[in-house]
Amino acid sequence: MIYTAAEIKQIDQTATQNGMPESILMERAASAIVPKLPIESHSTILVVCGTGNNGGDGWVVARELAVKGHEVSVWLPLGDSKSEAASTHAAYASSLVRVIEQPVATDIVIDALFGVGLSGPVTGKARDVIEWVNQQMATVLSIDLPSGIPSDHALEFDGLAIQATRTYCLHGYKRTAFLNRTSPYYGQIERIDIGLPHTSGWSVLTESDFNRSLLERDRFSHKTDYGHGILIGGSRHLLGAPFLGGRAAIRSGIGLLNLSVPREASPFISTLPEAMYNQHTDVLEQSYDAIAIGPGMVEGEGMDTIWQQVKHQSCPIIVDAGALSTRRFETRGPLILTPHPGEFSRLTNQSVEEIEGDRFAVASEFAKQHRVHLILKGTYTLIVTPDGKGAVNTVEASALAKGGSGDILTGILLALWSRKGELQSPSEQAVLWHALAAKSISRTIHPASVLASDVIEELGRI
Ligand SMILES: NC(=O)C1=CN([C@@H]2O[C@H](COP(=O)(O)OP(=O)(O)OC[C@H]3O[C@@H](n4cnc5c(N)ncnc54)[C@H](OP(=O)(O)O)[C@@H]3O)[C@@H](O)[C@H]2O)[C@@H](O)CC1
Ligand SMILES: [K+]
């Protein structure tokens, strides 16, 4: 689960009001973190504590490590704790550890300077403290967040934050763990359960969330059980995209596929004989289980006429690439938009920087406002439902950073949305499948060298 700072504060406050004091939550956090710390018996440890509750967590971790016999120093560069819970812990812990005035080089630095209480870019003496930590050769282990990293968005982040080796995120992840500008500071991330209830609208997708039963087939099934979709794509100069998308749809198990392509694509039809063909000028006579429109299309070239027909269908409609260029949100069935940040910038009139700096909020707001399913692509693709809730894909696959990848995702989406509503979260499963196939093929072909068609062939191998 992923939380904003305000959500964490609310959860914290509810717990406190119901008899679960912050000091106990700090105990819980520390007792869950300490066994996970990669510390050897001879390691020297410096815990850098700030004046808030993040510093309080640091104090309890320091105490526990000292009790276990480690050599622990605590540095309070910003002065004594201002929080009551942290002060209580500090009072006892300071009798067990060495409190130092000047920092010394150690093997391990535990960063408990700032957590979710940071507001805006770091000011004052803390800037020097962060720079000092970043100059050390030590393993840096951050509690909750790398200090200096904001929790929710990167819009005001000025680049000054602790570079962690590893970050232990308390209760849930923070949004900035999945933003391009801030995620590198986290190092490896690990979530720490502190026994509080989960209430977030955002979840994290990992490899284990991929539903492998997607690839199962009933021995008595028929092609119509797996859906009939149509992919409309291509333009005079972009003829490959619909074929990539169509092949991906078939490799993702679609029962029947129509490809609607421009007349100029005729020479390529023999490359995908498994599909049935239409031309863009044909009338959409049949009803389909899902429609995908856009790969390789450009505005003009009959797009408006095609859209007029498509929008009256009541099945799910996946809109990608060229078909995203104008704001078409009125459909009878579910609408699934799949923009990359540049396309999303044109849809929202916000800059790519604004989108990338605050993806979760911008994507959620847009999905709610237009009542659409949104797949905002990127290293951490967001999959958002019309209620503004969503998930972030954390299966990273650098092989997907090339032309053709989006067409493949559209094909997988078409296959999964065609399956007559039998699937839970077809968009999430499509994004995971796409990333897992790319990750899998990258084990035998270097990611720089992987072709979009290699990813398609891998879909059936994961
Ligand atoms: N439910 C949970 O998950 C639980 C979470 N817990 C922990 O509590 C942490 C949150 O603690 P928190 O709210 O006390 O804030 P925290 O991050 O320590 O920072 C506050 C300090 O930052 C300072 N400061 C602010 N902005 C600044 C700036 N721009 N530049 C410089 N300074 C700035 C501010 O200074 P002030 O404004 O007061 O002068 C204040 O001293 C959370 O991350 C987790 O570790 C657990 O303990 C319990 C359960
Ligand atoms: K921290």
Side-chain angles (χ1 to χ4, degrees), residues 314-335:
S314 55
C315 64
I317 300 173
I318 298 134
V319 180
D320 182 33
L324 285 166
S325 57
T326 46
R327 304 160 133 264
R328 299 181 169 103
F329 305 128
E330 291 85 36
T331 50
R332 288 172 57 203
L335 183 61

Side-chain angles (χ1 to χ4, degrees), residues 7-13 15 21-27 29 50-58 78 80 82-83 85-86 112-127 143-145 151 168-172 174 192 194 196:
E7 286 166 344
I8 289 285
K9 279 174 198 159
Q10 184 59 53
I11 293 167
D12 215 0
Q13 202 179 339
E22 280 174 335
S23 57
I24 303 272
L25 293 174
M26 285 174 191
E27 281 289 345
T51 59
N53 283 348
N54 194 252
D57 296 336
L78 309 178
D80 290 334
K82 291 180 190 165
S83 131
L113 198 57
F114 302 126
V116 297
L118 181 77
S119 63
V122 176
T123 55
K125 189 180 176 201
R127 294 186 75 83
I143 300 179
D144 210 12
L145 290 141
S151 301
Y168 300 90
C169 302
L170 299 179
H171 184 50
K174 313 302 174 297
I192 299 292
I194 53 172
L196 294 170

Side-chain angles (χ1 to χ4, degrees), residues 60-139:
V60 189
V61 167
R63 185 200 71 202
E64 285 299 291
L65 290 172
V67 167
K68 285 182 189 301
H70 290 286
E71 192 189 325
V72 186
S73 305
V74 171
W75 180 33
L76 309 168
L78 309 178
D80 290 334
S81 302
K82 291 180 190 165
S83 131
E84 199 183 317
S87 303
T88 311
H89 283 303
Y92 177 50
S94 54
S95 67
L96 300 170
V97 302
R98 205 153 53 101
V99 180
I100 55 173
E101 298 287 326
Q102 287 300 322
V104 285
T106 48
D107 302 321
I108 308 279
V109 172
I110 294 180
D111 156 32
L113 198 57
F114 302 126
V116 297
L118 181 77
S119 63
V122 176
T123 55
K125 189 180 176 201
R127 294 186 75 83
D128 300 333
V129 177
I130 290 171
E131 273 168 6
W132 181 85
V133 172
N134 285 346
Q135 283 159 9
Q136 303 305 299
M137 299 295 288
T139 298

